[in-house]
Amino acid sequence: MSAGAYTVEIRVMPRASLLDPQGQAVHHALQALGFGDVAGVRAGKHLVVQVQAATREEAAAKARSMCDRLLANPVTEDYECSVSP
Amino acid sequence: MSAGAYTVEIRVMPRASLLDPQGQAVHHALQALGFGDVAGVRAGKHLVVQVQAATREEAAAKARSMCDRLLANPVTEDYECSVSP
């Protein structure tokens, strides 16, 4: 089975129930710039990982394993992965 | 015209032509953990902004203005915005 190259987009965000100091700082900075219509900001990470895998499902499983072991803090963050093509 | 609440998802990534030290650090860490199938990692920011606007188009225009003025570095970063609902 030949491996293919997949691109995994990973979004890591602070859990909704937790404070997000970085998002609050961005919110305040936007208001200071005159963006008074902003009601809230959440700030997280976006990672694009190029991975070799036999199938799309295997690429997604590898990405979830990367998130569980390194990319996301399981206590404070949630993640979503989407694989292309 | 009554304003509505829109959620804008903003993705800010280092330009493809530039080095990405944070992405390289994540790449090396993944390889050290045994993820040898990873060919590359790019690391950026993901922001979720709640904004009041009259229309979806106005919400998108505000988000682009926020990116131009604060959220993205015009020299080193590219951004994409998507508005919902």
Side-chain angles (χ1 to χ4, degrees):
Chain A
M1 191 155 51
S2 68
Y6 293 88
T7 300
V8 188
E9 305 258 347
I10 300 171
R11 192 179 84 142
V12 181
M13 296 298 289
R15 295 215 157 147
S17 56
L18 297 177
L19 286 176
D20 172 17
Q22 191 185 354
Q24 290 177 337
V26 172
H27 187 184
H28 293 151
L30 286 171
Q31 291 192 318
L33 280 174
F35 293 103
D37 295 334
V38 175
V41 179
R42 304 288 288 176
K45 289 175 285 188
H46 192 97
L47 296 143
V48 182
V49 179
Q50 309 289 337
V51 61
Q52 295 284 325
T55 64
R56 187 188 178 93
E57 287 69 32
E58 188 188 315
K62 283 183 183 179
R64 287 193 297 273
S65 175
M66 291 175 206
C67 288
D68 290 333
R69 294 184 60 194
L70 179 72
L71 304 176
N73 181 330
V75 177
T76 61
E77 294 175 323
D78 288 318
Y79 63 82
E80 288 174 18
C81 304
S82 63
V83 184
S84 63
Chain B
M1 192 156 48
S2 67
Y6 294 88
T7 301
V8 188
E9 304 257 348
I10 300 172
R11 193 179 83 143
V12 181
M13 296 297 289
R15 294 216 157 146
S17 56
L18 297 177
L19 286 177
D20 172 16
Q22 191 186 355
Q24 291 177 337
V26 172
H27 187 183
H28 292 150
L30 286 172
Q31 292 192 317
L33 279 174
F35 293 104
D37 294 335
V38 174
V41 179
R42 304 289 287 178
K45 288 176 285 190
H46 192 98
L47 296 142
V48 181
V49 179
Q50 309 290 337
V51 62
Q52 295 285 324
T55 64
R56 186 189 179 93
E57 288 68 31
E58 188 189 315
K62 284 184 182 179
R64 286 193 298 272
S65 176
M66 292 175 205
C67 288
D68 290 334
R69 293 183 60 194
L70 178 72
L71 303 176
N73 180 330
V75 177
T76 60
E77 294 174 322
D78 288 318
Y79 63 82
E80 288 174 18
C81 304
S82 63
V83 184
S84 62

